[in-house]
Amino acid sequence: AVAALSLRPAAPAGDSAAGPGPAAPAPAAAGGAPRAACSGHGLLEDGRCRCDDCYGGFYCEQDVGNCTVMADSGTPYLFEDFWVRPEHAAAAVAIPPHYHIGYGSSVGCSGGGISGAACDSDQLVQAIRRVHRAVGNFDTEGFEVVVGVGSTQLISGALWALALGEPAGAAPTSVWAQAPYYSGYSVAQWWGSAPFRWTEAEPQPSPETPAVEFVTSPNNPDGALRRAKVSGEGAATVFDFAYYWPHFTAIHDRSIELGPSDVALFTLSKSTGHASSRIGWALTRSRAVADKLRQFVGAAGGVPRENQLRAIAVLDHLDGRSYDNFEFARRVMVQRWAELQGALHGNACYAMQELEPAERDAWSGAEKAPTPAYLWMECLRAEDCLAELQAHGIAGRGGPKFGAPERFARVELLMNASTFSKLLLRLRQMAAACE
């Protein structure tokens, strides 16, 4: 038997079963039982309420006025209100205690070990190919698919796979991204003895001085659509498509051109919201690069079987619903950007990034404007934009983290509805104080 999760918070230690404070709201309250049990301002997890930003108390019943809104992450809590709906209970995973207690192998594949060898019956790879085929954001035909522990692991894995493929005697591979860039790419400077090095200057590759460029499109932090700038012999590209999904941008077509050794990265977290499952995948035409990526993932212990099972269950469930998670998230992001533009557009103190023009979306067939995951803000009258945000109760991420000046800062927009309302209020107060 599988123990059922309680839909009422456990009483604090030393208290009666009823617990102090108000009774939990009825499950019929808005937001579904997991949120109703926490006064609509939190989510029930592990028998306790995880409160939204600026709410506290055992049942999240207390509105904490003088607080900081956390907008410095990228955790896609906006999907919570999608997944708490009763119709998604079918995506739940129950794992018997005897299930696959040994090491190794992907779900659907036989054999042990943790090397992560390719397998045609890999259920997660099959689910990944289906979602790309349905959305149209990548044609996986002719590509190897390598699953890793989040795309973060695969960023490092791609660097190793590409750098180790260079001929003996070549200089360390230069790693570069056009600013502003995702701060995680500078991981190259953390590996002191690695065959690659991070550079802030655009490299000029050759067979003797190879280079890898990271291209994020849509870009993190500003949502711009990017193309590779570094080309020629000795150049390779890692395309980070974490945000290339219908709720962030129009899907263009299937003709993304990758070189024979280039790598494309995607992640479960930004497509379904399941960040803690740590599932990412790489696509490449090169069997040699794919094998090195698998070796890198395997050397770190492989991808936990439980993580794979949850990802398969979620993607299979969405496949049966025409991937309605994207339409849900798209509506949320469209509304948020409309409210942001109403609050900040034309302000004399704060400038928003310029968005790409609307274009036809191949997924829906409609004209769609971009709705990026982050607000990339420039403070026009303050030298330190991060400090300006902090002074108004917003925790963002400063421009230098992205190779940009301090007058820029990134503000996350992926939080749940409750936290976004608090964020929007503070941004409006900032804008009003400038007038």
Side-chain angles (χ1 to χ4, degrees):
V2 179
L5 290 175
S6 171
L7 291 181
R8 179 180 172 85
D15 288 327
S16 66
R35 292 193 69 82
C38 302
S39 306
H41 298 299
L43 193 72
L44 187 61
E45 290 184 348
D46 305 320
R48 293 190 176 276
C49 287
R50 172 179 55 78
C51 297
D52 300 337
D53 286 4
C54 301
Y55 287 93
F58 191 67
Y59 296 115
C60 306
E61 73 279 6
Q62 300 170 5
D63 188 338
V64 182
N66 185 20
C67 66
T68 298
V69 176
M70 305 305 295
D72 63 341
S73 178
T75 304
Y77 282 126
L78 68 91
F79 283 100
E80 277 185 350
D81 287 335
F82 177 83
W83 288 111
V84 297
R85 295 174 179 174
E87 62 265 32
H88 300 306
V93 178
I95 304 174
H98 64 271
Y99 173 77
H100 198 87
I101 62 175
Y103 292 115
S105 76
S106 301
V107 177
C109 302
S110 60
I114 57 175
S115 62
C119 162
D120 290 338
S121 58
D122 187 320
Q123 293 181 23
L124 181 50
V125 169
Q126 291 172 352
I128 287 168
R129 292 188 188 276
R130 282 196 300 273
V131 67
H132 283 303
R133 188 161 53 245
V135 173
N137 60 346
F138 200 96
D139 184 356
T140 65
E141 185 68 28
F143 281 83
E144 300 268 338
V145 180
V146 181
V147 177
V149 184
S151 61
T152 301
Q153 182 190 52
L154 294 171
I155 288 172
S156 297
L159 287 177
W160 280 96
L162 294 170
L164 291 176
E166 297 299 335
T173 299
S174 296
V175 181
W176 178 76
Q178 180 183 351
Y181 50 75
Y182 170 52
S183 55
Y185 300 148
S186 57
V187 66
Q189 64 188 329
W190 303 344
W191 301 83
S193 60
F196 45 78
R197 58 182 175 82
W198 175 257
T199 177
E200 293 286 350
E202 183 176 341
Q204 303 297 319
S206 72
E208 293 74 32
T209 56
V212 173
E213 179 184 4
F214 277 100
V215 177
T216 312
S217 188
N219 191 40
N220 174 3
D222 61 1
L225 300 179
R226 290 272 181 89
R227 293 187 177 274
K229 296 188 67 177
V230 177
S231 61
E233 196 173 359
T237 307
V238 178
F239 292 91
D240 188 341
F241 292 129
Y243 302 92
Y244 188 36
W245 296 102
H247 46 298
F248 297 129
T249 186
I251 302 302
H252 312 121
D253 52 39
R254 300 173 186 261
S255 61
I256 298 170
E257 291 297 328
L258 268 68
S261 297
D262 290 347
V263 177
L265 302 178
F266 288 88
T267 176
L268 189 72
S269 65
K270 300 305 186 290
S271 54
T272 72
H274 294 88
S276 66
S277 296
R278 308 305 302 142
I279 292 290
W281 57 94
L283 300 111
T284 180
R285 287 192 177 95
S286 169
R287 172 62 66 87
V289 171
D291 286 345
K292 290 185 177 72
L293 274 165
R294 293 188 181 100
Q295 291 167 8
F296 185 91
V297 173
V303 181
R305 189 90 168 195
E306 290 83 351
N307 302 40
Q308 298 178 54
L309 288 171
R310 189 183 197 192
I312 293 166
V314 164
L315 291 174
D316 283 353
H317 173 73
L318 293 172
D319 184 47
R321 299 178 57 88
S322 300
Y323 299 97
D324 55 346
N325 58 308
F326 296 125
E327 185 56 38
F328 166 86
R330 179 72 187 183
R331 288 196 302 269
V332 171
M333 295 304 296
V334 166
Q335 179 64 30
R336 290 184 179 185
W337 272 97
E339 292 174 326
L340 285 170
Q341 288 168 336
L344 296 175
H345 183 71
N347 190 270
C349 295
Y350 310 106
M352 305 166 64
Q353 72 260 48
E354 289 189 21
L355 300 180
E356 303 280 343
E359 57 183 317
R360 184 185 178 277
D361 174 39
W363 179 67
S364 66
E367 288 285 313
K368 286 191 176 180
T371 49
Y374 306 100
L375 168 65
W376 182 238
M377 176 184 290
E378 181 180 7
C379 290
L380 304 176
R381 298 182 181 177
E383 294 183 359
D384 189 337
C385 202
L386 178 60
E388 182 82 354
L389 287 168
Q390 292 170 337
H392 288 85
I394 300 172
R397 192 172 295 186
K401 290 281 188 181
F402 307 92
E406 286 188 338
R407 69 177 185 275
F408 290 92
R410 191 193 78 172
V411 179
E412 176 206 343
L413 305 176
L414 301 178
M415 60 279 290
N416 61 27
S418 173
T419 303
F420 180 78
S421 294
K422 297 285 187 181
L423 171 66
L424 185 63
L425 175 62
R426 281 162 173 70
L427 290 173
R428 284 171 172 163
Q429 290 169 342
M430 287 178 65
C434 175
E435 300 301 329

